[in-house]
Amino acid sequence: MSTKGETTTGTGASRSTLPLKLSQLQNFCKRDPAGYKEDYDAQSRRLVSLVGILLLSPNADPSPSLVELIQFMAAVSSSSYKGVESDGVAALLMDLLVGSSSNSSGGGGGGAAQQQPSAAVLQTTLPLAALQLHRDIRKACVSALILMRNKGAVPPLRLLQLFFQLMAVVPDKNLRESLYHHIVNDIRNINKNGKRDEKLNRTIQSFFHRIVAASANEATPGGEDSPTDYAAKRAVQMTCDLYRRNVWNDERSVHILASAAASPNAAVTSRALRFFLNIEEAMALDKKSTEDNEWAGSQTVDLHLHSRKTKKRKGIVSKQIKARKAAQHEHEGTMIAQREDAGVEASKKLFPAIELLNDPQGLCETIFKRIKSSGSNTYKFEVKMLMLNFVTRVVGNHELILLPLYTLLQRYMGGHQRDVTAILAYAVQSCHSYVPPEEVYGILKTIAHNFITERCSGEQMAVGINAVRAICARVPSVLSGEEEEGVNDGDDTVREKSTAWDVEAFVRDLAGYAKHRDRSISIAGRGWVNFIREVYPSLLQGKDRGLVGAGLHRAGEKPLRYGEVRAASGVAGADLLAAYEASKLKAAENDNEGDSDEEGGEDGWVDVDSGDEEKQGDEDGWVEVDSGEEEDEIKMNDVDEEEESDDDAPDLLLLGEDNNGEDGKPKADNDETEDKQLDLSKLSDKDRAKLQQQVSSTRIFTTAEFAKMQKLFDRQQQARRDPRLAARLKRAKAKGEEFADISEDDSDMSDGEDIHIKGAVNATDIMAEAKRKRMSKAEKLEKIIEGRQKWETKERAGGSTNTEKKRKKNFAMSKFSFSTRKKLGEKTTAKHGRKQANRLNDGRVSKKRRRKF
């Protein structure tokens, strides 16, 4: 295609008419928009006429020059004539896509351009002219509009409804994918580099929400997909992608997906439910892969070992090496920061989108009602499993009360039920401490009758025992029940037993499987016994309690009954931290006194007057001075530098103001009283709770102090379980080394690299462990490399072992050793002779014995 234009010389001579192609005219219009405005207007009028002709017969073959003309008008109008001209071109192309006629080629736009997403619901019909439009013309119009949008000539809201309408109605797969990727990338670019347009985001999100709501109102369970349903599926998919890319990770996006989860359409519901169940793991894997790729890219340096060495390449190599060192330093700093503040990192990790639901109770009731009322052909079994997984996850995370759910789960707990292990996992994750024990009794009885019987296989029995253990771990009140309520009648105590549930018999029956001949059942039984030892050892027999269970049984360990709550009087471990710091302070003072006695007067010179010298008598002028001010300055400096050491432990406000001096420190007048107050073993439970509350309310704890309190509290709980550890701590306390095993650093804290989603229960967690699980190829390779590195970098101290020496020894020297002869075995003739001799000897002995008796 060519056109005619005029060119003028620099002296103002007459213009010569030259044939120009559209590519040349595009170049000239960009260079001189005002000079070639007439040519642009001529091409604009030509486009309007060709579009009008095309609308009269849309199913006819288009003109070959029309596609090129559309691309030319979009490129030139969006760059050189932005404004009224670009609006007119965009309106013309939109009218062509929707099949409406518009004679206006100027600004203002046609009917399609005037529609806003907030004005009307999505139109699911198009005229026949738009449906019969040739795919090349439709593709050219969409590409031109995308080009104009990327250059900022068209607002995003004008294209959003048009593109959704085309995606819903036009059956062109390639066009739908192109439109989908453009919308997602456009929203990402709007919120790129921290520049978020919240008003535009709210408008687009409200448009998506209206599409999903319209689909929910129109759809029927099990019906065919309509254009609105397809638009709703695309809206849900876009929201999921934007949430995964951390563009829309707010409550409005979660509300859109919650509305989609309640939709009767199975496809829309499945997409939303998979988002809620798997988004945290997907985001964690994306983040990990991104960090690994960045780290691997920073480690790659092209040293040009097999290429010519030039000055330019040398400079590039040096820059790459510097960048690698900087990346290594940053990576190490990030790892150290995560190790120092592991609590904050753990709280940020995998925050579930389920926690952002606005009305979890109403959503669960809606989906549960749909599961219960739907027939066998309404939804597929996979969709029902997704619904059950989502409902149980939300009930467990938000601790909701949905009592009919547990009755429904019992219907699917048959021995031959499809995916019964997953259903047991869903039953586990639906349990929490606020579920009444009466509802859990039915699930436990169903599992016991259908899985934990001798007619079942070993794998089924192991799965049943593991499921019972997991449920009781989440609802420990089922182990206490009504049998712990006592009625005092004189000197005797009558225990009220529940006729419907004998907990003690049930626990001991499952504990008997710990000695089963099947390995998987015995492993599950031992896990059940270990769990009962920790939670309620009184239910076990004395022989099954073990060392830990016996210690907890003497301590009176038992689970809380339903509705019972233990109110905390302060931060757990605050009293232990007070005793720890007081002991460290006392040890530091003793060390300082010993050092001052050893050093003598070299460090203690002071200027004294004659009166002081007379008071000292015959002590050669030595005096003892109070270095309290110097110690206070040192302590202030240590606090500023945030360094904790044994010599400068912070002062604690252990008691009230009555026991403190004017400077805020405890009075040293009565050392015995102070020691009694800091000796936690001599304090009663009330005094200890008072001390814990007072320490918690009079100071602000740092992250390191919280970690220290956790260590001390864990050690106390472990000593409560282990009598041997309690005896060791008692002996260490008598020696004054009660806290010697507590380290100052927190390097042993695990970072928790494994991906764990809150409230999720995997079916593999309760499966039987009869056989060692088959490793994948990657896991085998990782194990091989780990063993190779462990062998090459010898982790133990000392020289080589005897095994390593034998491996390196010459075979001729060890050929006749006992171990080699034992491996080779005896020769056949020698073995036959030895057996014959043994047989003869046995015969003689037996004959002699017969004669003797």
Side-chain angles (χ1 to χ4, degrees):
M1 178 62 196
S2 63
T3 183
K4 290 185 178 182
E6 295 181 354
T7 60
T8 58
T9 61
T11 58
S14 61
R15 296 166 58 94
S16 61
T17 305
L18 297 174
L20 296 176
K21 295 182 179 180
L22 287 178
S23 58
Q24 295 176 345
L25 182 59
Q26 179 178 351
N27 186 22
F28 291 151
C29 289
K30 289 183 178 180
R31 291 184 178 182
D32 188 8
Y36 290 90
K37 183 67 168 61
E38 296 179 0
D39 300 298
Y40 170 78
D41 293 339
Q43 297 300 326
S44 178
R45 292 190 297 270
R46 184 167 172 268
L47 177 63
V48 171
S49 62
L50 290 177
V51 168
I53 295 172
L54 183 63
L55 288 176
L56 296 176
S57 58
N59 52 359
D61 293 336
S63 174
S65 60
L66 182 58
V67 176
E68 186 180 2
L69 184 59
I70 290 173
Q71 294 175 354
F72 165 78
M73 293 298 297
V76 175
S77 63
S78 59
S79 60
S80 302
Y81 305 101
K82 190 180 294 184
V84 179
E85 291 81 3
S86 62
D87 293 342
V89 173
L92 183 64
L93 297 178
M94 290 179 186
D95 292 336
L96 179 61
L97 288 173
V98 298
S100 62
S101 61
S102 177
N103 297 326
S104 174
S105 61
Q114 294 290 342
Q115 295 176 359
Q116 298 293 332
S118 59
V121 189
L122 180 69
Q123 297 181 1
T124 58
T125 57
L126 284 178
L128 185 62
L131 295 175
Q132 294 180 353
L133 192 63
H134 197 273
R135 63 171 58 188
D136 294 338
I137 299 297
R138 189 184 292 115
K139 182 179 179 181
C141 294
V142 170
S143 301
L145 290 173
I146 291 174
L147 175 63
M148 297 179 70
R149 170 68 197 109
N150 293 336
K151 292 186 177 182
V154 181
L157 297 179
R158 294 180 61 184
L159 295 180
L160 184 64
Q161 187 177 9
L162 173 65
F163 285 172
F164 259 95
Q165 188 177 1
L166 293 177
M167 278 194 301
V169 179
V170 178
D172 190 349
K173 184 177 180 180
N174 295 329
L175 180 67
R176 286 175 172 178
E177 293 297 326
S178 177
L179 295 175
Y180 174 82
H181 289 298
H182 164 69
I183 294 174
V184 173
N185 293 329
D186 192 18
I187 296 175
R188 287 183 61 194
N189 293 331
I190 291 172
N191 301 276
K192 197 174 183 181
N193 297 328
K195 298 179 181 179
R196 298 182 60 87
D197 191 350
E198 294 296 339
K199 183 178 180 180
L200 182 61
N201 289 333
R202 284 195 298 269
T203 306
I204 298 175
Q205 286 172 345
S206 63
F207 175 65
F208 285 0
H209 186 267
R210 285 204 315 276
I211 292 177
V212 174
S215 173
N217 295 331
E218 295 178 5
T220 56
E224 297 182 356
D225 290 345
S226 63
T228 309
D229 295 335
Y230 184 82
K233 286 190 291 185
R234 283 299 187 176
V236 170
Q237 187 65 36
M238 289 178 188
T239 309
C240 294
D241 289 348
L242 293 171
Y243 190 99
R244 183 172 180 176
R245 299 173 189 269
N246 285 323
V247 180
W248 282 356
N249 50 3
D250 53 356
E251 293 84 356
R252 293 191 297 269
S253 303
V254 175
H255 187 58
I256 294 172
L257 297 168
S259 302
S263 175
N265 187 272
V268 177
T269 302
S270 301
R271 289 172 186 254
L273 295 180
R274 288 191 180 94
F275 164 80
F276 282 112
L277 296 174
N278 303 321
I279 186 60
E280 289 81 22
E281 185 176 358
M283 292 177 68
L285 292 176
D286 290 345
K287 183 179 179 181
K288 186 177 181 181
S289 62
T290 303
E291 292 177 354
D292 293 343
N293 292 335
E294 291 178 355
W295 174 249
S298 64
Q299 298 302 302
T300 304
V301 177
D302 187 7
L303 299 176
H304 296 283
L305 298 177
H306 305 285
S307 59
R308 185 179 178 183
K309 307 298 186 295
T310 60
K311 187 175 181 180
K312 182 179 179 180
R313 289 178 178 175
K314 185 178 179 181
I316 293 174
V317 170
S318 63
K319 288 182 181 179
Q320 290 179 354
I321 292 175
K322 289 182 181 179
R324 182 176 64 180
K325 289 183 179 180
Q328 290 177 353
H329 183 69
E330 183 180 359
H331 185 67
E332 292 173 359
T334 304
M335 293 178 62
I336 293 173
Q338 291 179 357
R339 218 171 24 240
E340 290 178 351
D341 204 358
V344 177
E345 291 297 327
S347 64
K348 290 181 181 178
K349 186 182 296 184
L350 297 182
F351 183 77
I354 292 178
E355 298 290 341
L356 298 176
L357 290 173
N358 188 19
D359 185 14
Q361 182 74 34
L363 181 61
C364 286
E365 291 177 356
T366 302
I367 298 178
F368 177 73
K369 183 179 179 182
R370 188 162 291 134
I371 297 172
K372 198 172 181 180
S373 61
S374 61
S376 59
N377 297 326
T378 304
Y379 294 111
K380 293 182 179 180
F381 181 75
E382 293 80 4
V383 179
K384 286 188 176 181
M385 292 291 287
L386 277 176
M387 292 180 178
L388 277 176
N389 191 2
F390 175 75
V391 170
T392 53
R393 179 84 64 82
V394 174
V395 168
N397 275 37
H398 290 272
E399 296 182 346
L400 306 177
I401 300 298
L402 193 63
L403 301 183
L405 173 63
Y406 307 98
T407 306
L408 178 68
L409 288 172
Q410 296 179 35
R411 289 166 41 187
Y412 292 93
M413 290 182 182
H416 302 283
Q417 174 66 38
R418 177 183 172 187
D419 293 340
V420 67
T421 309
I423 293 173
L424 290 175
Y426 301 158
V428 171
Q429 71 183 4
S430 66
C431 296
H432 52 87
S433 59
Y434 294 107
V435 179
E438 292 78 11
E439 301 295 334
V440 186
Y441 291 157
I443 293 181
L444 295 180
K445 289 181 180 179
T446 304
I447 295 174
H449 292 162
N450 295 337
F451 294 93
I452 314 176
T453 55
E454 294 297 334
R455 68 176 182 271
C456 298
S457 62
E459 186 176 359
Q460 287 179 328
M461 295 178 67
V463 169
I465 295 173
N466 291 334
V468 170
R469 175 174 54 84
I471 290 174
C472 293
R474 287 183 168 234
V475 194
S477 58
V478 298
L479 298 176
S480 59
E482 297 179 358
E483 64 263 16
E484 288 301 317
E485 295 181 358
V487 179
N488 292 328
D489 186 8
D491 296 332
D492 299 332
T493 301
V494 180
R495 303 182 67 187
E496 297 180 358
K497 296 280 186 179
S498 175
T499 58
W501 180 252
D502 191 356
V503 181
E504 186 174 357
F506 179 75
V507 169
R508 294 186 178 182
D509 187 15
L510 293 187
Y513 288 103
K515 298 180 181 179
H516 199 274
R517 63 180 180 273
D518 189 270
R519 182 172 178 270
S520 60
I521 299 176
S522 64
I523 291 174
R526 286 197 296 268
W528 169 257
V529 171
N530 292 333
F531 166 71
I532 298 298
R533 286 174 181 175
E534 296 282 342
V535 178
Y536 201 178
S538 301
L539 295 177
L540 293 173
Q541 296 180 357
K543 62 179 182 179
D544 295 332
R545 289 171 187 168
L547 187 63
V548 176
L552 292 175
H553 174 64
R554 287 191 294 269
E557 180 70 22
K558 63 179 181 179
L560 298 176
R561 290 182 294 177
Y562 180 68
E564 185 179 0
V565 179
R566 290 175 182 171
S569 59
V571 181
D575 51 346
L576 299 172
L577 181 66
Y580 169 77
E581 292 181 345
S583 65
K584 290 294 182 181
L585 179 60
K586 186 176 181 181
E589 291 177 354
N590 295 335
D591 293 341
N592 292 335
E593 292 177 0
D595 294 341
S596 62
D597 293 340
E598 292 177 359
E599 294 176 359
E602 295 180 0
D603 298 333
W605 292 102
V606 294
D607 295 332
V608 295
D609 54 5
S610 59
D612 293 334
E613 293 178 356
E614 293 177 356
K615 292 179 182 179
Q616 295 298 329
D618 298 333
E619 294 181 0
D620 297 334
W622 296 100
V623 294
E624 295 180 359
V625 297
D626 185 12
S627 59
E629 297 178 358
E630 295 178 2
E631 290 181 359
D632 290 342
E633 292 178 0
I634 294 173
K635 291 178 183 179
M636 291 298 294
N637 294 333
D638 290 342
V639 171
D640 294 338
E641 296 174 1
E642 297 182 0
E643 297 177 357
E644 297 179 357
S645 62
D646 295 342
D647 297 335
D648 301 309
D651 295 329
L652 296 176
L653 299 175
L654 300 180
L655 299 175
E657 298 179 355
D658 298 337
N659 295 329
N660 294 342
E662 296 178 356
D663 55 351
K665 297 182 180 179
K667 292 182 179 180
D669 296 1
N670 193 354
D671 295 335
E672 297 179 357
T673 306
E674 186 179 357
D675 292 339
K676 288 182 180 179
Q677 294 164 355
L678 296 178
D679 190 1
L680 299 180
S681 61
K682 297 180 180 180
L683 294 178
S684 62
D685 294 339
K686 292 184 178 180
D687 295 338
R688 198 165 171 182
K690 183 179 179 182
L691 175 63
Q692 182 180 3
Q693 182 179 7
Q694 193 167 8
V695 173
S696 302
S697 60
T698 53
R699 60 184 294 177
I700 299 175
F701 299 108
T702 62
T703 306
E705 290 174 344
F706 274 113
K708 190 75 66 180
M709 286 189 292
Q710 186 66 35
K711 281 186 178 182
L712 294 169
F713 184 75
D714 292 343
R715 191 184 69 160
Q716 183 187 24
Q717 296 298 323
Q718 189 177 0
R720 191 182 177 195
R721 291 174 172 83
D722 191 357
R724 297 176 181 175
L725 178 60
R728 287 198 301 270
L729 292 178
K730 187 175 181 180
R731 291 192 298 268
K733 184 177 180 181
K735 297 178 181 179
E737 301 174 354
E738 182 181 3
F739 302 102
D741 58 336
I742 301 296
S743 60
E744 294 294 335
D745 57 345
D746 303 323
S747 58
D748 57 342
M749 295 180 62
S750 59
D751 296 336
E753 296 180 358
D754 295 338
I755 297 174
H756 178 72
I757 304 172
K758 176 185 175 184
V761 177
N762 249 337
T764 56
D765 296 340
I766 60 175
M767 288 180 63
E769 298 181 5
K771 296 181 180 179
R772 186 175 298 175
K773 297 179 181 179
R774 179 173 295 181
M775 295 187 296
S776 62
K777 188 175 182 180
E779 292 175 347
K780 290 180 181 178
L781 182 61
E782 184 179 358
K783 187 177 181 181
I784 291 170
I785 294 175
E786 183 181 358
R788 187 181 302 163
Q789 292 176 353
K790 185 177 180 181
W791 176 260
E792 291 176 355
T793 61
K794 189 166 53 178
E795 297 180 356
R796 58 177 179 79
S800 59
T801 60
N802 293 335
T803 306
E804 295 174 357
K805 292 176 181 177
K806 287 180 181 179
R807 189 179 291 111
K808 296 179 181 180
K809 197 172 185 179
N810 191 3
F811 180 71
M813 301 175 65
S814 60
K815 187 166 77 170
F816 299 102
S817 63
F818 175 75
S819 59
T820 307
R821 285 188 280 111
K822 187 177 181 181
K823 289 179 182 178
L824 294 175
E826 297 177 329
K827 293 183 179 181
T828 308
T829 55
K831 188 184 297 184
H832 181 69
R834 182 174 53 81
K835 289 183 178 179
Q836 189 174 5
N838 293 336
R839 190 162 52 250
L840 292 174
N841 293 332
D842 293 340
R844 292 172 184 172
V845 172
S846 62
K847 288 180 181 178
K848 290 179 181 179
R849 287 177 180 172
R850 281 199 297 270
R851 282 192 223 104
K852 185 177 181 180
F853 287 101

